[in-house]
Amino acid sequence: MKIKLFLFTFVFLMILSACKSNNIQSDISSEGVNSKVFVMQNELPVGGDARKEMCTKYKTIFYGADTFLAEIVGKEKFNEWLSEFENGRNKWECNIYNAVRELNISKDDFIKANKGVSYTSKQIDAIFSDDEDEINRAFVNDFALMVDDKIYTPDWLAVHTMSDYEKNGIDSGKLKEYLTKINTEELYREKLSIEANLLSKKISTNTNVSKNSYYEIDFYNIPDFAHQLVPDDEYEKWVGNFIVENNDNVRNMSEFNIVNFVREFKIKKSDFIKADKDKIYSKEQIDAIFSGSDSEINDAFISEERESSFDTSSETSPVQTASTDAATSSEIHNETSVTD
Amino acid sequence: MQVFVKKRMVYVFAFLVLFLAALSYPVAVKAEAGNYYLSMGEYLSGGMRITSLNGKYFAMMQTDGNFVIYQSDTQKALWHTNTYGGNYTSYRAMMQTDGNFVVYGIKNGAMTALWNAGTHVYGSGTYRLELGDDSVLRVKKNGNTVWNSPNAPINSSGWSYMFTEADNRYISSGYKLSERPDHYGIDIISTNGYTYIYGDAIRNVSAGNVVVSQALNATAGNYVVVETNTIDTNTNKKIKVRYLHMKDSPSVTIGQIAQGTIVGYVGNTGDVSPKPTSSNPYNGTHLHFDVNNQGKNSGISSADALNPQKFFPGITFLGKTSTVD
């Protein structure tokens, strides 16, 4: 009897353990292999781009909804409002100004929930003011230029010209002062372009601005005469691709250059030469712009400092890499791809 | 007879009350060598100290009212509560049963709180005040730091890694590397691939205060900024850390935060690349984590940032690691 009982228990346990291991196996096949696709992909996930935070009109905190608002209106209402943005509403409209209005939040409740931590009293006054100028003053990004309570971001300044500046009342003195403010590595290309605008009017004589660039500053600038070769609205639409704010697929600023401008607007060489009355570009440079050859462009625009700092016979030379890449690309390479 | 029974019950009740009161009454801790912590209800009177286990540091309730951490060999003061000079007859540094660590001044039997760590806000639990071998005084709740004195050297600041999963250590974009020189943080994914990290809990690395907690920010996504209690010795400012692109609204709101508290879950909100699509909703999943010593909540530039890897000397990172300062 005892032996029978022992055998029964033994067999029962064996069956049980077999069932258990089958379960583990099926877990692996369904979840480990099928549902979680992937090993390392070519394009690794990245984020936290410092430059983008610097190119918005307002400080980053303006463009989101603080979780303390949920303490005021309730989690359900707060999440319902947020779901609008997950269902297609423009993500840039998810900002603190819209949040307090659309969630009917009173200033007193806001002040209490803020606990003197996230927003300054000046910012809170501005949020509840309905006055755009006051909002501009309270939230202006540290890296933006403010003139008469209007905000100009570094990327906006970079893709516009002296005549645009003048139209907006931005004088060269303010710009020169501003250039010292954005003297950061992240915004060197914007600085380069603004500097080129000043140089075109002989306002700046700073020739030291190209040190971070592979190309001379004229390459990264669309001068006034070129701008005038295309209708304003088309030009604005094109430069809008390079502006961070309200743009989910912003183009790399290195692609904002005279070669891409000429190619994408299909500018004729003769029109270009005729319009360049001040001879901003040399004959060699104009030939290069219209050549379709990256190596010619490199020869015509490569910065002298860069040229001397690289051994062109070396494999790491940006000139060589760019030339090699040119054979397989129809578009001018940005610097990221050059260095890669 | 009935009266006698009632009287006896009153005596028993009174005895129980007194007994319980005696149990909860704070007990003075003797200044014994090797005593490196205070348990709940224990306190140090003027002149008493606790000493780190390695003997290199001690924290003393001075008779002048100041509570000070000292380096034993040099007698150099490393941090203090700045509570000296009051008109009190005696002082106490007490690890209270409510979780708060408080320095009191006492006069005519009345106790006045002169300084406190504010740790009572973390609710009930088992609290302890410990002086670590790294000179840092910590209030711990159930073993997790909820407050620390701001005198920790950066590389041994006692920060804990934000993930408990061993595979979440692959850096997909490193700190100030040449391929992305204006990236001032680390983007972390799983060594098994980025989909594996989606939804994993992110735990706060160092006690401090949440100063920003936002949902669906256009660039940062769901994100949190914590001002830690670690002071940078170069700038004399509290170090701030940011957790970006989280999956849902942050789990914490503004106010005090303990080390180890879940701030949110890994996701791909805000400005990430590649962008999530309907066919691949996990695209861009990672945690962007950055550290700055300029008190900034955003717009961090090269000069403001610190290499996050250096705060986790015990973690072996893989992928695009960086040794840049």
Side-chain angles (χ1 to χ4, degrees):
Chain A
M1 183 66 187
K2 275 184 182 172
I3 294 169
K4 271 185 182 174
L5 186 69
F6 171 75
L7 281 172
F8 176 76
T9 315
F10 179 73
V11 170
F12 179 73
L13 287 172
M14 288 290 285
I15 293 167
L16 205 70
S17 100
C19 286
K20 202 179 168 193
S21 55
N22 276 344
N23 281 341
I24 292 169
Q25 287 236 321
S26 67
D27 279 353
I28 291 170
S29 60
S30 68
E31 199 173 311
V33 179
N34 296 334
S35 66
K36 292 211 170 188
V37 190
F38 177 56
V39 199
M40 287 299 165
Q41 288 187 344
N42 288 336
E43 194 179 357
L44 287 171
V46 298
D49 192 328
R51 179 187 162 268
K52 283 185 183 164
E53 284 188 7
M54 294 173 175
C55 285
T56 53
K57 267 174 78 177
Y58 301 129
K59 289 183 163 76
T60 300
I61 198 169
F62 183 83
Y63 302 97
D66 295 79
T67 54
F68 67 68
L69 300 180
E71 292 168 12
I72 304 170
V73 298
K75 253 188 179 172
E76 202 179 323
K77 195 175 169 189
F78 182 65
N79 288 336
E80 196 185 321
W81 188 73
L82 289 178
S83 67
E84 290 180 22
F85 302 97
E86 284 154 357
N87 294 318
R89 188 172 168 189
N90 183 343
K91 68 177 186 177
W92 291 89
E93 289 176 19
C94 180
N95 58 52
I96 195 63
Y97 178 85
N98 286 338
V100 295
R101 268 152 195 80
E102 294 172 26
L103 291 168
N104 291 317
I105 290 167
S106 75
K107 190 174 177 182
D108 284 347
D109 286 344
F110 189 94
I111 290 169
K112 259 186 235 160
N114 178 55
K115 297 174 190 161
V117 175
S118 296
Y119 296 89
T120 63
S121 51
K122 186 181 168 190
Q123 288 173 332
I124 295 172
D125 287 344
I127 291 167
F128 289 90
S129 71
D130 269 332
D131 178 347
E132 195 183 339
D133 288 351
E134 196 172 336
I135 291 169
N136 287 354
R137 287 192 294 273
F139 283 97
V140 60
N141 195 317
D142 294 338
F143 299 91
L145 171 69
M146 191 147 136
V147 179
D148 298 331
D149 292 335
K150 296 283 174 285
I151 297 172
Y152 302 93
T153 57
D155 50 2
W156 187 93
L157 290 163
V159 299
H160 286 86
T161 60
M162 280 307 287
S163 53
D164 296 317
Y165 300 163
E166 281 155 15
K167 272 183 227 163
N168 285 278
I170 305 168
D171 66 45
S172 54
K174 282 175 189 146
L175 274 173
K176 280 163 95 174
E177 196 182 315
Y178 174 69
L179 285 173
T180 61
K181 186 174 157 183
I182 60 160
N183 195 16
T184 62
E185 289 169 36
E186 309 79 31
L187 299 173
Y188 78 88
R189 203 175 297 284
E190 285 77 6
K191 190 177 178 219
L192 208 65
S193 197
I194 299 165
E195 189 78 41
N197 282 331
L198 289 171
L199 280 167
S200 71
K201 294 279 177 183
K202 314 279 184 243
I203 292 162
S204 172
T205 53
N206 184 359
T207 53
N208 202 25
V209 288
S210 60
K211 67 175 183 175
N212 279 319
S213 173
Y214 294 118
Y215 298 114
E216 286 175 359
I217 60 172
D218 290 334
F219 181 80
Y220 292 113
N221 189 43
I222 314 297
D224 265 332
F225 82 82
H227 178 171
Q228 283 155 20
L229 289 169
V230 293
D232 269 356
D233 55 342
E234 281 182 37
Y235 184 78
E236 284 302 319
K237 198 176 162 196
W238 187 68
V239 296
N241 294 318
F242 299 94
I243 305 276
V244 167
E245 188 138 343
N246 287 314
N247 198 344
D248 279 349
N249 294 300
V250 64
R251 278 180 77 173
N252 192 315
M253 190 53 91
S254 64
E255 293 174 27
F256 179 79
N257 59 56
I258 192 67
V259 174
N260 280 340
F261 170 81
V262 162
R263 284 181 188 176
E264 290 174 34
F265 281 108
K266 297 184 172 58
I267 305 289
K268 285 182 186 160
K269 191 175 178 181
S270 54
D271 291 342
F272 190 89
I273 293 167
K274 206 166 143 189
D276 185 12
K277 286 174 187 153
D278 294 334
K279 307 268 182 233
I280 290 173
Y281 297 98
S282 66
K283 186 183 175 302
E284 185 204 3
Q285 286 176 329
I286 293 173
D287 287 343
I289 291 168
F290 289 89
S291 68
S293 154
D294 286 0
S295 58
E296 263 193 62
I297 290 161
N298 286 344
D299 289 342
F301 284 98
I302 194 81
S303 125
E304 277 176 27
E305 283 176 54
R306 283 281 166 181
E307 204 163 26
S308 61
S309 66
F310 287 97
D311 171 7
T312 48
S313 65
S314 128
E315 280 186 4
T316 56
S317 160
V319 182
Q320 255 198 355
T321 313
S323 305
T324 311
D325 285 351
T328 55
S329 169
S330 60
E331 208 175 59
I332 192 78
H333 285 275
N334 64 43
E335 285 185 10
T336 311
S337 60
V338 170
T339 50
D340 280 345
Chain B
M1 184 64 183
Q2 265 188 346
V3 174
F4 178 72
V5 171
K6 271 187 185 170
K7 265 190 179 175
R8 229 168 61 167
M9 281 177 73
V10 168
Y11 287 140
V12 170
F13 181 71
F15 173 77
L16 277 172
V17 168
L18 286 171
F19 179 72
L20 289 171
L23 274 182
S24 62
Y25 194 76
V27 184
V29 171
K30 288 176 189 169
E32 288 170 355
N35 201 357
Y36 70 100
Y37 65 88
L38 293 180
S39 295
M40 289 162 75
E42 292 183 331
Y43 66 86
L44 299 172
S45 295
M48 295 172 77
R49 67 173 71 174
I50 52 174
T51 306
S52 63
L53 276 174
N54 62 7
K56 288 185 176 174
Y57 309 99
F58 64 90
M60 186 182 221
M61 183 64 253
Q62 296 186 164
T63 52
D64 65 355
N66 210 5
F67 184 77
V68 189
I69 302 171
Y70 285 102
Q71 191 165 325
S72 303
D73 54 356
T74 59
Q75 302 285 302
K76 184 186 169 195
L78 303 174
W79 176 78
H80 63 104
T81 53
N82 199 21
T83 46
Y84 56 91
N87 188 22
Y88 299 94
T89 49
S90 61
Y91 297 91
R92 270 180 201 175
M94 185 186 288
M95 186 62 247
Q96 298 187 158
T97 52
D98 67 354
N100 205 2
F101 172 55
V102 188
V103 174
Y104 286 101
I106 306 170
K107 195 176 181 184
N108 301 327
M111 291 171 66
T112 307
L114 304 176
W115 177 92
N116 74 94
T119 43
H120 56 293
V121 297
Y122 297 111
S124 59
T126 304
Y127 286 87
R128 204 153 99 150
L129 177 80
E130 286 182 13
L131 182 61
D133 286 347
D134 56 358
S135 81
V136 178
L137 196 68
R138 294 181 175 86
V139 175
K140 291 186 173 179
K141 180 194 172 188
N142 302 332
N144 293 319
T145 304
V146 290
W147 174 87
N148 63 268
S149 57
N151 56 301
I154 284 175
N155 285 341
S156 60
S157 55
W159 288 19
S160 56
Y161 193 54
M162 69 290 279
F163 292 115
T164 53
E165 296 84 356
D167 56 335
N168 291 345
R169 288 161 191 203
Y170 190 95
I171 298 179
S172 58
S173 181
Y175 175 81
K176 290 187 184 175
L177 292 179
S178 58
E179 61 188 30
R180 210 175 158 217
D182 60 350
H183 184 238
Y184 304 135
I186 50 175
D187 290 346
I188 305 168
I189 59 171
S190 164
T191 47
N192 295 317
Y194 65 81
T195 57
Y196 275 85
I197 203 173
Y198 190 83
D200 282 354
I202 304 160
R203 290 172 171 80
N204 183 37
V205 298
S206 176
N209 282 285
V210 175
V211 290
V212 178
S213 166
Q214 276 200 330
L216 298 185
N217 186 284
T219 53
N222 296 311
Y223 81 109
V224 165
V225 183
V226 173
E227 182 182 67
T228 71
N229 290 334
T230 307
I231 290 188
D232 183 90
T233 47
N234 293 323
T235 60
N236 215 25
K237 288 179 179 166
K238 286 186 175 179
I239 289 177
K240 281 187 177 175
V241 298
R242 304 194 310 162
Y243 308 89
L244 271 51
H245 311 308
M246 297 192 296
K247 178 175 163 248
D248 302 310
S249 286
S251 309
V252 291
T253 188
I254 51 174
Q256 277 193 305
I257 184 169
Q259 185 179 46
T261 302
I262 293 175
V263 294
Y265 299 87
V266 179
N268 52 2
T269 54
D271 183 42
V272 296
S273 176
K275 299 213 178 299
T277 60
S278 52
S279 59
N280 194 350
Y282 297 118
N283 265 352
T285 297
H286 72 280
L287 169 71
H288 171 95
F289 175 77
D290 60 44
V291 182
N292 83 85
N293 63 1
Q294 295 291 337
K296 287 198 168 180
N297 297 339
S298 62
I300 295 162
S301 66
S302 180
D304 309 324
L306 300 169
N307 187 343
Q309 281 184 240
K310 305 215 164 175
F311 289 83
F312 308 103
I315 299 290
T316 305
F317 288 99
L318 298 167
K320 301 189 175 182
T321 57
S322 167
T323 52
V324 179
D325 282 323

